[in-house]
Amino acid sequence: MDIKHDHRYAINLNVRGIQPSATLRINELSNQLRAEGRDIIKLGLGQSPFPVPERVVEALKEHAHEKDYLPVKGLKGLREAISGYINRNERMRSTWEDVLIGPGSKELLFMLQLAYYGDLLIPRPSWVSYAPQARIIGRSVHWLPTHAENNWQLTAEELDIVCRDDPSRPRILILNYPSNPTGCTYTDDQLLAIANVARKYKIILLSDEIYGEVHFEGRHKSIARYYPEGTIISTGMSKWLGAGGWRLGTFIFPPELRPLQDAMAIIASETFTSTAAPIQHAAITAFNGGDDINEYLKQSRRILKVVGEYMHRRLQEMNAVVQKPQGAFYLFPDFSAYREKLARHDIKTSQSFCTALLASTGVAILPSSDFGFTPDHLGARLAFVDFDGGEALKLAGGDYADIELGDDFVQQACPRLAKAMDKMEQWLNSL
Ligand SMILES: Cc1ncc(COP(=O)(O)O)c(C=O)c1O
């Protein structure tokens, strides 16, 4: 049915001027073009290519009958499992009471901003949803400058400069590493320096570590080790366990921030009540881990590392300026070398760059303007996830179990990624 706007109603929207989430928009457009028969290579949405491990799927089946509402903060057994998981990984001493469960970490991030009155500090570039969430709530966003030479990472000095003018202002800093969109991560020294500045200004530090488990070397470290009293760790099952659509995320709070956790639980109680019961039960299996999950993670990391290296090299060969990823499944190339050639085709923004690339080659990527850059910054984010993760895991753990992965593996397991690079290269050369 065609619904027409009825002018008798003054619809004063809270989300005026805000577009649907950039990643979901590109996904829908790609699906639409696919439905029209175009061959679209989807490097837009950052969804894990890997299937959920079998034992976790079995656990979900076993708990399909769980039908009761669960406690607002989450199932006790799951909160215990997550606390144990974070204590093992980070040598922390959290307890189950420090854990909050929600339907995706995205929702928890939104509730955090709703519950805490303060400015939001985010490094540029940052994940597409932090700033729009702040805007929906009416909070001010302060983008922190970073530089390509510095892997687009926040430095302690830049943070200090921003805070020094108004030292006691309430602030939340979101740090996300390994990073979406760059794939880069921080060294221990960098984390320590940032932690010291955060402590100096009593900043609440939301450490978005949703890609922590897909650090290619398995060496992710939480900044909570250096700033335990002010850091909330955010994670979930979406990126390392292939369970994005299951919608489960978690925050681990320090006891010092318990009032904030309680305030978020009040919001949860008045909005979604609790996260889906069968999913919470199944998540216990995931966070308790085991040899099978360790093996799954080992192979996922091997695959993502070799694919990331391959894509990085191909982009460098195209004269893009791009950092080598150390985790996650993203690359953030800058195509400024083509600025003049692109301008001859009236392509002057990252948005028009991505639109033209999609129209000419069928390769879908996201413009850097979605990550906080001015429209004329000619960057983009590629999510290297358009491959069959199940098949890739089988190959990596089978034929390639004892062989170092290289280009031949990428060609075999991820042919569409190789094709995307070929198409992009041809298009750039044809400008
Ligand atoms: C950096 C970052 N944080 C948080 C999320 C949200 O993940 P979820 O809501 O599935 O837990 C994403 C998802 O793309 C992300 O890339």
Side-chain angles (χ1 to χ4, degrees):
M1 191 176 60
D2 190 15
I3 301 174
K4 295 221 163 53
H5 182 72
D6 186 332
H7 293 282
R8 286 173 303 175
Y9 297 98
I11 304 178
N12 295 318
L13 298 175
N14 259 338
V15 289
R16 216 174 323 186
I18 300 177
Q19 298 293 320
S21 165
T23 41
L24 301 181
R25 216 174 342 120
I26 192 81
N27 198 40
E28 277 163 26
L29 180 62
S30 306
N31 285 343
Q32 188 191 323
L33 290 171
R34 253 187 200 174
E36 289 166 11
R38 293 276 314 272
D39 177 23
I40 301 299
I41 305 182
K42 284 165 68 168
L43 311 185
L45 181 71
Q47 170 159 286
S48 165
F50 302 114
V52 180
E54 201 46 49
R55 197 157 55 86
V56 182
V57 174
E58 285 307 316
L60 181 60
K61 287 184 193 162
E62 272 168 38
H63 290 95
H65 63 278
E66 297 286 353
K67 62 170 208 38
D68 290 345
Y69 292 115
L70 293 179
V72 173
K73 286 186 181 170
L75 183 67
K76 185 169 179 221
L78 176 58
R79 295 171 74 194
E80 282 169 345
I82 291 174
S83 160
Y85 160 85
I86 215 78
N87 292 351
R88 275 195 309 279
N89 282 1
E90 299 296 343
R91 298 194 205 120
M92 281 175 35
R93 274 190 251 140
S94 71
T95 71
W96 67 275
E97 287 178 301
D98 300 328
V99 176
L100 180 66
I101 312 290
S105 63
K106 196 184 215 175
E107 183 63 25
L108 291 172
L109 286 159
F110 184 70
M111 287 202 306
L112 171 69
Q113 295 201 52
L114 207 53
Y116 183 79
Y117 192 87
D119 286 357
L120 181 70
L121 306 184
I122 41 180
R124 179 195 322 270
S126 269
W127 178 49
V128 289
S129 289
Y130 305 133
Q133 286 190 345
R135 241 177 285 137
I136 290 172
I137 299 169
R139 298 275 189 271
S140 35
V141 179
H142 196 114
W143 288 96
L144 302 168
T146 65
H147 308 283
E149 314 77 73
N150 210 4
N151 285 346
W152 300 114
Q153 281 170 322
L154 175 66
T155 62
E157 291 72 32
E158 296 278 9
L159 183 61
D160 199 289
I161 290 168
V162 170
C163 298
R164 137 182 348 154
D165 282 348
D166 191 353
S168 57
R169 199 177 173 90
R171 299 178 171 101
I172 299 179
L173 166 68
I174 300 187
L175 208 62
N176 163 230
Y177 66 99
S179 155
N180 175 4
T182 66
C184 295
T185 194
Y186 289 90
T187 63
D188 290 1
D189 288 347
Q190 288 172 312
L191 292 177
L192 179 61
I194 292 171
N196 287 338
V197 178
R199 177 174 293 116
K200 179 167 152 195
Y201 296 106
K202 296 194 173 55
I203 297 172
I204 292 191
L205 206 164
L206 187 286
S207 188
D208 185 342
E209 302 181 24
I210 194 138
Y211 298 98
E213 290 282 22
V214 279
H215 181 296
F216 298 155
E217 311 298 338
R219 285 212 300 266
H220 176 77
K221 215 183 244 186
S222 177
I223 193 169
R225 295 187 191 211
Y226 304 115
Y227 183 39
E229 71 277 22
T231 302
I232 305 167
I233 300 176
S234 174
T235 185
M237 308 204 295
S238 302
K239 309 298 175 180
W240 63 278
L241 219 71
W246 287 23
R247 308 310 299 129
L248 186 135
T250 181
F251 274 12
I252 299 102
F253 290 80
E256 288 83 349
L257 299 183
R258 185 63 54 79
L260 184 53
Q261 182 188 6
D262 291 344
M264 286 176 62
I266 293 171
I267 297 171
S269 76
E270 299 293 9
T271 49
F272 59 80
T273 306
S274 60
T275 302
I279 303 289
Q280 292 204 49
H281 281 279
I284 295 178
T285 302
F287 283 99
N288 278 340
D291 290 346
D292 53 345
I293 292 179
N294 286 343
E295 178 63 16
Y296 167 93
L297 270 175
K298 180 181 143 194
Q299 299 302 351
S300 307
R301 290 172 184 147
R302 272 180 89 205
I303 296 168
L304 292 175
K305 179 173 183 214
V306 72
V307 177
E309 283 173 357
Y310 170 83
M311 302 286 280
H312 175 252
R313 197 190 69 233
R314 294 291 312 263
L315 287 163
Q316 275 196 323
E317 286 165 4
M318 294 175 213
N319 285 327
V321 176
V322 57
Q323 288 68 37
K324 195 168 174 179
Q326 295 158 294
F329 25 75
Y330 304 107
L331 292 148
F332 195 62
D334 177 339
F335 296 96
S336 297
Y338 294 88
R339 187 173 292 283
E340 279 175 23
K341 285 184 181 170
L342 288 163
R344 277 187 238 136
H345 299 264
D346 208 26
I347 299 170
K348 294 175 181 154
T349 63
S350 58
Q351 178 72 62
S352 53
F353 176 87
C354 292
T355 307
L357 181 72
L358 181 59
S360 308
T361 66
V363 176
I365 59 175
L366 286 181
S368 58
S369 52
D370 283 337
F371 296 85
F373 282 90
T374 51
D376 61 341
H377 175 270
L378 289 177
R381 187 199 75 176
L382 273 82
F384 47 87
V385 293
D386 194 345
F387 61 93
D388 183 334
E391 285 304 314
L393 282 174
K394 267 189 221 148
L395 261 182
D399 291 358
Y400 286 86
D402 303 314
I403 310 172
E404 200 182 332
L405 302 185
D407 281 7
D408 49 342
F409 175 83
V410 179
Q411 297 283 355
Q412 201 179 337
C414 318
R416 294 179 62 72
L417 295 180
K419 190 170 165 190
M421 290 298 95
D422 294 344
K423 286 186 164 194
M424 259 181 105
E425 191 163 32
Q426 279 160 14
W427 181 69
L428 289 168
N429 285 337
S430 74
L431 289 170

